[in-house]
Amino acid sequence: MKLYHALQSQGFGTRKNCVARVRAGEVAVNGVACDNPEAQVDPAQLELTLDGVTWPYREKVYVLMHKPAGYECSHHPSHHSSVFALLPPPLVQRGVQCVGRLDQDSTGLLLFSDDGQFNHRMISPKKGVAKVYRAVCADPVSDAMLVALRTGVQLNDEPAPIAALACERIDAYTLRLTLAEGKYHQVRRMIAAIGNRVEALHREAIGNYVLPATLPPGAWRWLEDDDLKQLEQSPKNRS
Ligand code: URA
């Protein structure tokens, strides 16, 4: 692969920009400066350094973010900032998408990838990858509410009642809810359907992968192979 092409594939600009950046001496290949855009590079062992940052070549990217409140999962946000503004520009340029959205007020585990098949596996209801949410409710959560969420609640525009895979009360006002699907505003609508209201919503986990406690709101990090396996496994604790 030619160097300018490797740069373009990793989100460092148009072909013309990438050629110009190499010619301007802005790029190092595996730690060695290279000003020939046509130089052959091996993607299997390639680290590109630009602006003092080293980027291992990745054919596809998988990233997680601790989404903060007040950000929209959209490239064209209407009222708030975009979550894409929290990612480095090369990731956005190479076309990563949100893998299942969170509402602007929701917080927690948000995935991004440019691998369409991965995105599909994560969000397709047929694959049933579980999403685990912690919801703080406006009113105390009664036993009857728990039973209703476990047995199924009817949402507008849905052909049949939808049940949580698991549902537990953490304290009088707080629920942990595991869902197999990711329908529009699903948690808020399910909790409204039992006569309560969500005041705060946080996604704790997807599959078996739990948002790392060390990742602060607004921060992102790469997902590695082990993380990807955990994402596609069923959660360990169900109630
Ligand atoms: N369900 C919701 O209602 N909102 C979210 O952000 C995620 C799931």
Side-chain angles (χ1 to χ4, degrees):
M1 180 186 281
K2 292 182 175 163
L3 175 54
Y4 76 82
H5 182 53
L7 285 165
Q8 195 181 352
S9 74
Q10 302 299 288
F12 290 103
T14 60
R15 177 182 183 282
K16 201 171 153 195
N17 294 147
C18 292
V19 167
R21 295 191 74 174
V22 178
R23 290 217 175 105
E26 293 178 23
V27 179
V29 176
N30 297 335
V32 180
C34 178
D35 62 4
N36 175 10
E38 308 267 333
Q40 284 293 329
V41 293
D42 176 4
Q45 306 168 26
L46 177 58
E47 285 192 334
L48 298 163
T49 305
L50 293 95
D51 302 325
V53 181
T54 297
W55 299 82
Y57 177 94
R58 294 177 192 252
E59 193 175 335
K60 298 285 179 199
V61 285
Y62 308 90
V63 160
L64 82 100
M65 179 186 287
H66 183 164
K67 180 191 173 292
Y71 282 79
E72 294 181 33
C73 291
S74 165
H75 284 285
H76 306 289
S78 34
H79 300 296
H80 292 80
S81 304
S82 165
V83 289
F84 292 100
L86 299 170
L87 291 175
L91 292 186
V92 181
Q93 170 89 32
R94 66 179 286 170
V96 298
Q97 299 300 329
C98 292
V99 185
R101 296 176 172 213
L102 287 173
D103 301 334
Q104 64 187 37
D105 295 331
S106 302
T107 59
L109 178 55
L110 180 63
L111 307 178
F112 296 84
S113 178
D114 58 359
D115 178 345
Q117 291 182 356
F118 169 77
N119 294 6
H120 175 74
R121 285 202 304 282
M122 285 293 123
I123 62 178
S124 162
K126 284 193 191 138
K127 305 286 176 193
V129 174
K131 283 90 187 173
V132 185
Y133 296 92
R134 193 176 65 236
V136 181
C137 299
D139 297 314
V141 180
S142 66
D143 290 345
M145 290 175 182
L146 284 178
V147 171
L149 290 167
R150 287 183 190 136
T151 51
V153 294
Q154 185 63 53
L155 302 181
N156 288 342
D157 302 331
E158 290 301 330
I162 299 183
L165 288 176
C167 180
E168 62 176 319
R169 192 166 34 207
I170 301 174
D171 64 35
Y173 290 84
T174 310
L175 282 173
R176 178 171 291 116
L177 205 62
T178 305
L179 301 182
E181 321 84 349
K183 295 183 189 295
Y184 181 67
H185 291 333
Q186 186 171 342
V187 175
R188 293 175 201 274
R189 289 160 67 212
M190 287 178 77
I191 289 180
I194 57 165
N196 209 324
R197 184 163 50 82
V198 170
E199 297 240 296
L201 184 58
H202 180 80
R203 184 152 62 198
E204 297 183 331
I206 297 179
N208 240 348
Y209 185 85
V210 178
L211 177 68
T214 50
L215 194 70
W220 68 275
R221 75 167 182 74
W222 302 107
L223 286 160
E224 304 301 348
D225 288 350
D226 280 353
D227 303 328
L228 295 174
K229 280 189 202 128
Q230 289 194 338
L231 280 166
E232 299 197 42
Q233 289 167 358
S234 300
K236 285 173 197 140
N237 302 312
R238 291 197 171 167
S239 61

